[in-house]
Amino acid sequence: MTAPFVLAVPSKGRLQENAQAFFTRAGLALAKTARRAGLSRYHRRARQRRDRLSLGERIAWQLARGMVHLGVTGEDLVRETIADADKHVLLIDSLGFGSANVVVAVPQAWIDVRSMADLDDVTTGFRAQHNRRMRVATKYINLTRAFFASHGVVDYRIVESAGATEGAPAVGTAEMIVDITTTGATLAANGLKVLDDGVILRSQANLVAARDADWSSEARETARVILDHIAARARASKYREVRTRFKGCDAALLAEAHNRFGVVSPFGGPTSSGMVTLALPAGTALRARQLSPRARRRHGIGGVARLRAGPRQPAVRQA
């Protein structure tokens, strides 16, 4: 029997809502087939490890082991959870939601510390003075180690954080943090600042494929249908559809609109009632006066103020 195709998405919270909306806009209805993270089944021996992970980490963990075909999760969790991530997964596309940055943040009182080079000097001096390393509170252990090593910072030790990382310096459990932030407001409220070159990763939700999944011919075909739907939605979002009626619209006028503004008439010229459908590139406001005076006089459209564009629905059907 062919194994089912599994697309793993978060099962609750804002990411779940955004993922659901994303696939719905692409004409794909998600059917939840399990209690957790949209997965159909788990191996019993993996359950103990799985239960210690957050939803996003669990999806990344399952992708790394080929237990799902596709998954929606943040790039930060992919890079943190999966060693040599590019060997095990493929980041297909950014989905446009769940944006946040993984950053190095230090107390605002450290007025002379603005860069990772400054931090290197401070950590070295701290160890010489206190005979211990500075502590970094974070849940991004692997990302932190790699980033600090790339900047030559070695005099620190990681304090693993399970939550409320931004409060660690204030309560004395760490001198600085590596955490994820969207606006930086929470960091500022806790008296922290991001170093000028302290952005480790600019992350957002991604559609990710597992290289080690069972990619049978049926699974590949299912993935193709999903990706075709998503691509069709992306193409459709670049255009706006306008329907209008005016005297004298003909092939010459449509050709001028196409050449000057990129306008396409997908159904050809006007119908018997004079209605014409135009597809405009997003952001285009086609004004009649932008056409040549000769065209306006010839086609009697001098009084047309503007053709207003509304959302064009994607031309996709559910397979």
Side-chain angles (χ1 to χ4, degrees):
M1 181 177 179
T2 304
F5 185 93
V6 183
L7 167 62
V9 298
S11 60
K12 61 182 180 181
R14 185 172 297 178
L15 279 179
Q16 186 274 334
E17 295 171 1
N18 287 332
Q20 185 81 38
F22 175 84
F23 286 108
T24 298
R25 289 193 299 269
L28 298 163
L30 298 181
K32 190 173 179 180
T33 59
R35 294 181 181 177
R36 296 186 177 185
L39 303 182
S40 62
R41 55 174 59 86
Y42 295 97
H43 295 299
R44 185 183 303 272
R45 64 190 177 190
R47 186 167 299 170
Q48 183 177 2
R49 165 63 176 162
R50 185 195 72 224
D51 287 345
R52 294 200 297 267
L53 302 175
S54 70
L55 288 176
E57 289 172 326
R58 190 180 307 139
I59 292 174
W61 189 75
Q62 296 285 333
L63 284 164
R65 287 154 182 79
M67 298 172 70
V68 301
H69 296 87
L70 299 177
V72 174
T73 189
E75 184 178 355
D76 59 310
L77 298 177
V78 170
R79 301 297 180 190
E80 172 63 25
T81 306
I82 306 174
D84 296 323
D86 293 331
K87 293 182 179 179
H88 299 284
V89 299
L90 174 66
L91 276 67
I92 298 175
D93 198 10
S94 299
L95 303 185
F97 58 85
S99 299
N101 297 333
V102 181
V103 301
V104 181
V106 302
Q108 293 174 356
W110 295 8
I111 59 175
D112 293 329
V113 180
R114 298 185 178 89
S115 66
M116 290 298 293
D118 295 335
L119 185 63
D120 185 26
D121 293 338
V122 169
T123 56
T124 301
F126 183 91
R127 185 180 184 186
Q129 182 178 353
H130 298 281
N131 198 31
R132 66 178 178 88
R133 291 182 171 91
M134 274 192 175
R135 297 163 296 176
V136 183
T138 187
K139 68 175 183 178
Y140 294 100
I141 298 172
N142 296 321
L143 286 175
T144 299
R145 286 173 176 163
F147 187 73
F148 277 44
S150 70
H151 286 274
V153 180
V154 296
D155 288 318
Y156 73 94
R157 69 182 180 90
I158 289 177
V159 177
E160 190 168 359
S161 173
T165 305
E166 65 277 358
V171 300
T173 57
E175 282 71 45
M176 54 185 158
I177 70 169
V178 169
D179 202 11
I180 195 162
T181 182
T182 303
T183 64
T186 302
L187 296 178
N190 285 271
L192 300 174
K193 64 179 181 180
V194 179
L195 297 182
D196 293 344
D197 56 351
V199 177
I200 298 176
L201 178 67
R202 300 185 188 278
S203 178
Q204 64 174 292
N206 274 255
L207 182 62
V208 186
R211 296 184 184 274
D212 298 327
D214 179 14
W215 287 104
S216 63
S217 57
E218 292 84 357
R220 291 195 298 272
E221 176 61 19
T222 301
R224 185 194 64 77
V225 171
I226 292 173
L227 297 179
D228 282 352
H229 277 236
I230 293 173
R233 170 63 189 177
R235 289 193 299 271
S237 67
K238 297 178 181 179
Y239 291 89
R240 297 293 182 267
E241 186 175 278
V242 175
R243 295 181 182 180
T244 187
R245 181 186 289 112
F246 55 86
K247 180 181 178 181
C249 179
D250 59 14
L253 180 65
L254 293 176
E256 181 178 351
H258 174 72
N259 293 335
R260 297 191 62 182
F261 309 108
V263 175
V264 177
S265 178
F267 307 118
T271 64
S272 58
S273 65
M275 181 68 70
V276 63
T277 300
L278 305 175
L280 283 70
T284 299
L286 178 59
R287 299 175 186 269
R289 63 175 175 269
Q290 291 176 297
L291 298 175
S292 66
R294 179 180 179 182
R296 294 202 304 273
R297 290 193 301 270
R298 177 181 177 185
H299 299 287
I301 58 176
V304 178
R306 181 188 294 227
L307 305 178
R308 296 188 180 275
R312 183 186 181 197
Q313 297 300 317
V316 298
R317 294 180 302 170
Q318 181 148 356

